[in-house]
């Protein structure tokens, strides 16, 4: 039974050590924040109330450290270079995707233009042109249908052959 009690006490001590590894600081709106992670870089060191280790930072030491650490440490821009690189890669990938889509649309328009020109040449040649209707029967186009199809082909050429 004694060993059991000793294990419970030891576990309690270890648990309290983990709880003491907490950060405490005042955020920009003046609220106290408790976390197991360090505060963001935009929080000034004077607003950090407690660091891991369980002891609060004395106000006089904190005030003296602030100017010294600010002078010795390089200024942090608040951005991460890896994050900037990922953002640049994402923007490049998006630009490549847009360019591929634009190229695909341009190729489709060029193909449509070429087909419309060939069809218009067939209609302008004066040869009889036949189509298969919904019933599967072959029918010859009359002058009105030929004119309507020629007009449609001119519209396709006007939109796709630019």
């Amino acid at each position: 039974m004694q060993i059991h009690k000793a294990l419970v006490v030891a576990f309690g001590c270890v648990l309290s050590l983990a709880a003491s590894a907490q950060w405490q600081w005042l955020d920009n709106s003046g609220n106290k924040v408790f976390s197991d992670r360090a505060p963001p870089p935009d929080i000034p060191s004077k607003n950090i109330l407690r660091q891991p280790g369980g002891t609060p930072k004395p106000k006089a030491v904190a005030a003296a450290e602030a100017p010294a650490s600010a002078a010795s440490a390089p200024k942090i821009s608040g951005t991460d270079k890896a994050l900037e690189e990922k953002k640049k890669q994402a923007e490049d990938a998006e630009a490549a995707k847009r360019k591929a889509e634009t190229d695909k649309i341009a190729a489709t328009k060029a193909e449509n233009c070429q087909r419309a020109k060939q069809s218009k040449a067939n209609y302008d040649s004066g040869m009889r042109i036949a189509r298969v209707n919904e019933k599967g029967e072959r029918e010859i186009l009359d002058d009105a249908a030929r004119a309507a199809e020629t007009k449609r082909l001119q519209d396709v050429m006007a939109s796709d052959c630019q």
Side-chain angles (χ1 to χ4, degrees):
M1 192 68 170
Q2 293 257 345
I3 295 175
H4 180 67
K5 287 181 183 179
L7 287 175
V8 169
V9 169
F11 181 71
C13 290
V14 169
L15 186 62
S16 68
L17 286 176
S20 68
Q22 294 287 318
W23 288 86
Q24 180 182 2
W25 69 88
L26 294 174
D27 64 3
N28 293 333
S29 60
N31 298 324
K32 281 189 180 181
V33 178
F34 299 89
S35 177
D36 60 342
R37 296 184 181 167
D42 64 332
I43 301 295
S45 62
K46 67 177 180 144
N47 288 353
I48 299 174
L49 304 175
R50 183 171 295 169
Q51 295 179 353
T55 58
K57 212 174 188 183
K59 301 280 185 198
V61 173
E65 278 183 7
S69 64
S72 64
K75 294 199 175 196
I76 298 173
S77 64
T79 58
D80 187 10
K81 291 188 187 259
L83 181 63
E84 287 179 8
E85 183 65 29
K86 282 184 179 181
K87 185 177 179 183
K88 184 178 183 312
Q89 287 176 353
E91 288 173 355
D92 291 345
E94 184 66 29
K97 186 177 177 182
R98 281 193 303 264
K99 184 178 181 330
E101 186 67 26
T102 303
D103 291 346
K104 184 178 176 182
I105 290 171
T108 303
K109 282 188 171 192
E111 184 180 348
N112 287 345
C113 176
Q114 185 63 31
R115 286 184 182 181
K117 285 180 178 180
Q118 287 175 347
S119 294
K120 184 152 180 352
N122 287 340
Y123 280 90
D124 291 343
S125 70
M127 294 187 327
R128 290 193 307 176
I129 297 179
R131 285 192 184 166
V132 178
N133 64 13
E134 304 87 37
K135 297 178 185 175
E137 300 170 344
R138 188 174 157 166
E139 57 184 29
I140 305 290
L141 293 181
D142 60 356
D143 289 338
R146 189 183 206 79
E149 187 63 20
T150 302
K151 170 84 170 95
R152 188 188 71 79
L153 290 171
Q154 286 174 341
D155 291 343
V156 169
M157 288 171 44
S159 67
D160 290 347
C161 297
Q162 294 178 2

